[in-house]
Amino acid sequence: MPVAHTTIQLLGFKLLRECQNSDVFYTTSGVSQGCILAPALFCCAIDWLMRHCSGCFGVDVGNFHLTDINNDDDAVLFTDDPTKWDYVFRNFEASAGVMGLHINCNKTKIQNIGTGDPPRTVHIDNQAVETVSGFTYLISDIDSDGYSYPEIHKRLGIAGSIMAQLDNVWRQQRLSLYITKLRIYTSLVQSVVLYGS
């Protein structure tokens, strides 16, 4: 299953009022840190974008049609046909351009997950999109073979290192096993194994 990882750069805004788009207006300072509206506004824009261009990409898994994964300004797009990437990127860029958003060509990557030939070279704005065999998305390593073994080994290695660093805590006789030591284990070791954090 070919996957594209991309980052969107915010360049300007348009407002929709009474079924009409306003002229594009640009920001000079961005949104204030901690502004309660910032994530909500961006999520609305990304949700609209994904709904608007979702017909041109996606994969079917059982009864579900999966098109993308979004986190902040990062998007992962799916397609079941690697020859569609030119069309997918053109459609995505055109839809994003309506809101003043654009694909960052330097951060965009294409990865084929599972079986099949690697995708051919795709160009966005006359720049070649890099094809990769592995990618880190939200601290998780995603390999082209479709298996999670490298990620599992990485997490177990980090958890083992944390266990070794806490050796003095485990030897403490004054600390309660079920209250203190179990809470330390759950918060520091188990969270790394399960969530990678």
Side-chain angles (χ1 to χ4, degrees):
M1 167 178 54
V3 177
H5 310 277
T6 185
T7 300
I8 301 168
Q9 291 179 323
L10 185 61
L11 298 176
F13 293 99
K14 284 186 180 184
L15 294 177
L16 180 66
R17 183 173 177 224
E18 297 176 4
C19 299
Q20 299 252 342
N21 280 331
S22 70
D23 293 333
V24 176
F25 62 93
Y26 295 92
T27 60
T28 56
S29 63
V31 179
S32 299
Q33 185 71 22
C35 175
I36 196 167
L37 290 176
L41 290 174
F42 195 77
C43 285
C44 288
I46 292 298
D47 286 345
W48 178 88
L49 173 63
M50 291 304 166
R51 278 194 311 271
H52 188 263
C53 62
S54 65
C56 72
F57 57 89
V59 294
D60 293 319
V61 179
N63 295 331
F64 299 100
H65 184 73
L66 304 175
T67 57
D68 62 281
I69 301 173
N70 300 321
N71 181 54
D72 297 332
D73 64 344
D74 293 329
V76 176
L77 307 177
F78 302 107
T79 185
D80 54 1
D81 183 2
T83 61
K84 291 182 182 178
W85 280 123
D86 280 325
Y87 174 71
V88 167
F89 283 130
R90 276 196 312 274
N91 189 298
F92 189 78
E93 179 72 16
S95 297
V98 170
M99 292 181 291
L101 300 172
H102 296 280
I103 294 175
N104 184 333
C105 300
N106 297 324
K107 294 182 180 180
T108 301
K109 313 283 185 237
I110 295 179
Q111 179 181 14
N112 188 29
I113 297 178
T115 60
D117 296 329
R120 59 184 172 79
T121 303
V122 176
H123 291 82
I124 302 173
D125 295 333
N126 296 323
Q127 292 184 2
V129 177
E130 182 182 359
T131 301
V132 295
S133 61
F135 193 80
T136 301
Y137 184 73
L138 301 179
I139 72 168
S140 292
D141 294 332
I142 302 166
D143 279 345
S144 290
D145 62 9
Y147 295 106
S148 301
Y149 299 127
E151 178 68 16
I152 292 168
H153 290 292
K154 178 180 90 171
R155 289 184 186 191
L156 289 175
I158 294 170
S161 173
I162 292 169
M163 286 288 288
Q165 291 175 10
L166 293 171
D167 189 51
N168 290 337
V169 173
W170 307 138
R171 294 176 191 262
Q172 279 289 336
Q173 297 296 322
R174 294 179 294 159
L175 297 177
S176 169
L177 175 66
Y178 292 108
I179 296 172
T180 309
K181 292 180 182 178
L182 187 59
R183 285 184 182 170
I184 291 172
Y185 172 79
T186 303
S187 63
L188 297 179
V189 180
Q190 190 176 15
S191 63
V192 169
V193 173
L194 296 178
Y195 312 113
S197 61

